[in-house]
Amino acid sequence: MSESVEREDDPLEIEVPADPLAGHPASAYFWGHVAGSGAVSDSNIEVTTNDERSARVLAAVAGGDLEHETTSREYAHDAAITRTEDEYTLSIEDDEEENGEGQEDGTRGLLGRSNVLGLPVGGRGNYRFSAFSSHDRELLRGLLEGCGTICFKSKSGTVGISFVHNDRDLLELTRELITGCPIEASVDDLSETSSGGYWFGIDDADAPAFGTWLYEDCEETGLYAPSRRRKLERSLEQAEAYDEP
């Protein structure tokens, strides 16, 4: 059962861009999420997250209606394992102009564009992130929170960071973004998951520095999922404790 999400008692402190498609840290974070865990059609954008605050940030950037429900889903790396978690879904519908301007039928389209070809993430991939080239950290943070995992590997005592998605092209693009970031982060080749998608990981030796860089300025901008940052911090602490004599 789903329910609407309204939280006026915990105001967000983020800088919202005038245009959600323009080059801006918040836009980069939003479209990273859409690419990682969203779906785009001719009349709708839906993006999901497990973190309420992150969902409210996405809604502040682009508008839309936010709903919450509890779901059970297969674990990305092993379809035999299921997990139950909160899920927040932001839905952005095709806008209508009250004054009849815009398209011939009086509609503005999604986020003011006449069709999905004007969006950085189209209904069939078509990822165009060049407008966010100065905000690669926020874009990668959105991608990680949308389709990435962070864990502590108890057998090796290391932190694991990986990305999982059904779209091979998106993961190839994500690999390119990571190798181009200012922190050295070696990435694995793509592998297939048991559920039919693809995934790749960051080298365990580079994962702590990459994760730290990814979240080091997040409180200043407010563009992050607190639950994901806590998972990173706990994993780093466990890895440090593992190395202690």
Side-chain angles (χ1 to χ4, degrees), residues 133-215:
S133 59
S134 298
H135 312 293
D136 55 347
R137 177 155 41 194
E138 289 79 14
L139 178 61
L140 280 167
R141 191 185 304 146
L143 283 164
L144 176 69
E145 294 177 2
C147 64
T149 62
I150 299 172
C151 67
F152 171 68
K153 300 180 180 181
S154 58
K155 290 185 178 180
S156 60
T158 57
V159 176
I161 297 178
S162 61
F163 292 78
V164 186
H165 203 275
N166 289 333
D167 190 333
R168 185 186 184 97
D169 291 340
L170 176 62
L171 292 184
E172 290 286 12
L173 178 56
T174 303
R175 291 175 76 251
E176 293 177 8
L177 290 169
I178 293 173
T179 56
C181 76
I183 298 297
E184 182 176 348
S186 301
V187 294
D188 301 328
D189 293 331
L190 291 186
S191 300
E192 293 189 9
T193 68
S194 62
S195 58
Y198 303 92
W199 76 281
F200 73 90
I202 295 176
D203 188 275
D204 287 356
D206 298 332
F210 175 77
T212 300
W213 169 78
L214 202 61
Y215 280 90

Side-chain angles (χ1 to χ4, degrees), residues 88-133:
Y88 300 88
T89 301
L90 175 66
S91 297
I92 303 169
E93 304 291 338
D94 190 344
D95 293 327
E96 292 185 359
E97 284 278 30
E98 294 181 359
N99 59 11
E101 297 178 356
Q103 301 180 61
E104 293 182 356
D105 60 0
T107 63
R108 288 183 57 200
L110 284 169
L111 300 178
R113 299 305 190 269
S114 59
N115 57 59
V116 296
L117 295 178
L119 304 179
V121 178
R124 296 182 179 178
N126 302 323
Y127 308 104
R128 296 180 298 278
F129 294 146
S130 59
F132 313 125
S133 59

Side-chain angles (χ1 to χ4, degrees), residues 31-113:
W31 289 108
H33 262 279
V34 173
S37 61
V40 179
S41 68
D42 289 339
S43 60
N44 176 267
I45 296 173
E46 281 195 355
V47 58
T48 59
T49 174
N50 303 124
D51 186 279
E52 180 184 350
R53 187 188 182 282
S54 177
R56 292 170 55 232
V57 168
L58 300 178
V61 173
D65 298 319
L66 191 59
E67 292 192 345
H68 166 238
E69 63 181 356
T70 302
T71 63
S72 296
R73 63 175 56 197
E74 297 175 348
Y75 184 59
H77 292 294
D78 188 347
I81 301 174
T82 60
R83 56 184 177 181
T84 300
E85 55 192 15
D86 289 320
E87 187 172 273
Y88 300 88
T89 301
L90 175 66
S91 297
I92 303 169
E93 304 291 338
D94 190 344
D95 293 327
E96 292 185 359
E97 284 278 30
E98 294 181 359
N99 59 11
E101 297 178 356
Q103 301 180 61
E104 293 182 356
D105 60 0
T107 63
R108 288 183 57 200
L110 284 169
L111 300 178
R113 299 305 190 269

